[in-house]
C-alpha cells in the first residue's frame, strides 16, 4: 500500500509564501491530493493532481509533482491567517483507498 | 446542496452504552465512507459503502457496526466501546467509489468513551 510522509510543522509570516512538502512510496498512485483541516472540522479538498502532470495552479495554490523522486509540494502564495490549518497530502489509485500523510500544521504569524 | 452532515456533533458514552452516529448527504453520491481520526493523526479508513453495499471493511472490531439504509444515509452503530475508541469520526461521500472522485467530508462527531 501507499506510504505518505510529511513534515509536521511549518511557520510562516502573513504575506509570505508557504511550501508544504510530501513524499509518497507507491508509484502507481494516479491521484495525489491536498486536503486542509481546520480545528474541529472535517477535511476540505484543496486541489489534486494527476500523476501524469508536473504542475497545477489554482489561484494562490501551486502543486508541483516530481514523479522521479515521488515528491509532491503545495505552495500557498500570499499566505493569510485563515490559511492556518493542518494540511494532509494523500494518494490513491483506482478503487484503492486514499492514504493520508500525517499532516503538516501550518502556523501563519500576523 | 454540497454538504455532508453528521449528528451528533459531540457524544459521550459509557463502555456499556449503545449509540449511533448518523451521516447524510443529498448530492446523489453512491459511495460513503467512515473514517476514524485520533488527535494529531491522519484519518484512518474504517468502512466504505458503494451503492448501499459494504465494499471495504478495514478489519474494524465488531463493536463498530455500519449500516447504509439508503443512498443518502450512513450510520455507525456503537456498542461496548473502549476508551481508546475515543476519536473524531468522519463521514465522507463521493460520486462513486474510487480515488478519482472527490470525497466530501462532514464535520465529524467527537466521541468520548468513558
Amino acid at each position: 500500500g501507499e506510504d505518505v510522509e510529511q513534515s509536521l510543522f511549518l511557520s510562516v509570516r502573513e504575506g509570505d509564501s508557504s511550501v508544504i512538502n510530501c513524499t509518497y512510496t507507491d508509484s502507481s498512485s494516479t491521484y495525489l491530493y491536498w486536503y486542509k483541516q481546520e480545528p474541529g472540522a472535517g477535511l476540505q479538498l484543496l486541489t489534486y493532481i494527476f500523476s501524469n502532470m508536473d504542475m497545477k495552479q489554482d489561484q494562490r495554490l501551486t502543486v508541483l509533482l516530481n514523479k522521479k523522486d515521488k515528491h509532491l509540494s503545495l505552495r500557498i502564495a500570499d499566505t493569510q491567517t485563515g490559511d492556518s490549518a493542518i494540511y494532509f497530502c494523500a494518494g490513491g489509485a483506482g478503487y484503492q483507498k486514499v492514504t493520508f500523510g500525517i499532516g503538516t500544521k501550518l502556523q501563519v504569524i500576523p | 446542496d454540497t454538504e455532508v452532515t453528521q449528528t451528533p456533533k459531540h457524544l459521550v458514552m459509557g463502555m456499556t452504552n449503545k449509540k449511533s452516529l448518523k451521516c447524510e448527504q443529498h448530492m446523489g453520491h453512491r459511495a460513503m465512507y467512515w473514517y476514524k481520526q485520533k488527535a494529531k493523526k491522519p484519518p484512518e479508513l474504517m468502512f466504505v459503502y458503494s451503492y448501499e453495499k459494504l465494499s471495504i471493511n478495514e478489519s474494524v472490531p465488531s463493536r463498530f457496526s455500519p449500516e447504509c439504509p439508503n443512498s443518502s444515509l450512513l450510520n455507525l452503530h456503537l456498542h461496548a466501546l473502549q476508551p481508546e475508541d475515543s476519536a473524531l469520526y468522519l463521514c465522507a461521500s463521493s460520486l462513486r467509489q474510487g480515488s478519482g472522485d472527490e470525497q466530501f467530508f462532514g464535520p465529524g462527531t467527537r466521541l468520548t468513551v468513558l
Side-chain angles (χ1 to χ4, degrees):
Chain A
E2 179 76 274
D3 234 352
V4 180
E5 292 187 4
Q6 300 179 238
S7 51
L8 290 178
F9 187 77
L10 176 66
S11 180
V12 298
R13 293 209 171 273
E14 191 174 16
D16 288 349
S17 291
S18 310
V19 179
I20 303 171
N21 295 301
C22 167
T23 55
Y24 60 97
T25 57
D26 189 348
S27 56
S28 67
S29 291
T30 49
Y31 298 89
L32 294 150
Y33 309 87
W34 284 104
Y35 282 88
K36 175 183 180 184
Q37 187 175 32
E38 297 186 40
L43 275 70
Q44 175 197 354
L45 181 66
L46 288 178
T47 186
Y48 66 91
I49 190 167
F50 294 112
S51 60
N52 62 358
M53 297 168 66
D54 297 321
M55 186 183 93
K56 181 177 180 182
Q57 185 150 6
D58 185 358
Q59 299 182 332
R60 292 192 297 124
L61 305 178
T62 303
V63 179
L64 294 177
L65 175 60
N66 180 327
K67 289 183 282 294
K68 177 172 160 290
D69 296 336
K70 299 193 185 69
H71 182 264
L72 184 73
S73 68
L74 174 69
R75 179 176 179 268
I76 306 173
D78 186 25
T79 313
Q80 303 297 306
T81 53
D83 295 324
S84 293
I86 298 176
Y87 290 80
F88 291 98
C89 166
Y95 284 93
Q96 293 173 23
K97 66 179 185 180
V98 172
T99 300
F100 292 85
I102 198 159
T104 299
K105 184 172 182 177
L106 175 64
Q107 179 188 53
V108 182
I109 304 165
Chain B
D1 184 359
T2 56
E3 202 181 12
V4 176
T5 59
Q6 289 188 244
T7 55
K9 197 165 179 169
H10 299 277
L11 179 62
V12 179
M13 61 187 289
M15 288 191 282
T16 58
N17 293 156
K18 282 186 183 181
K19 296 285 184 185
S20 296
L21 309 185
K22 294 186 184 306
C23 173
E24 193 166 359
Q25 56 86 17
H26 295 287
M27 295 179 276
H29 289 176
R30 304 311 297 270
M32 296 186 77
Y33 309 77
W34 279 116
Y35 287 88
K36 174 182 177 180
Q37 187 179 25
K38 300 282 274 184
K40 298 189 191 331
K41 297 285 187 188
E44 295 175 15
L45 183 66
M46 299 174 73
F47 302 103
V48 181
Y49 272 82
S50 178
Y51 290 87
E52 296 97 73
K53 289 189 175 17
L54 185 64
S55 172
I56 295 177
N57 176 342
E58 288 283 307
S59 303
V60 179
S62 59
R63 57 186 185 268
F64 295 92
S65 174
E67 180 198 16
C68 189
N70 61 55
S71 60
S72 300
L73 292 174
L74 184 67
N75 299 321
L76 186 63
H77 303 298
L78 313 173
H79 174 53
L81 293 196
Q82 304 295 309
E84 59 264 29
D85 296 322
S86 298
L88 180 68
Y89 288 84
L90 294 164
C91 174
S93 71
S94 62
L95 192 60
R96 295 171 306 260
Q97 180 184 346
S99 53
D101 287 330
E102 177 182 352
Q103 290 187 30
F104 290 78
F105 281 81
T109 293
R110 177 77 56 190
L111 174 68
T112 303
V113 182
L114 301 176

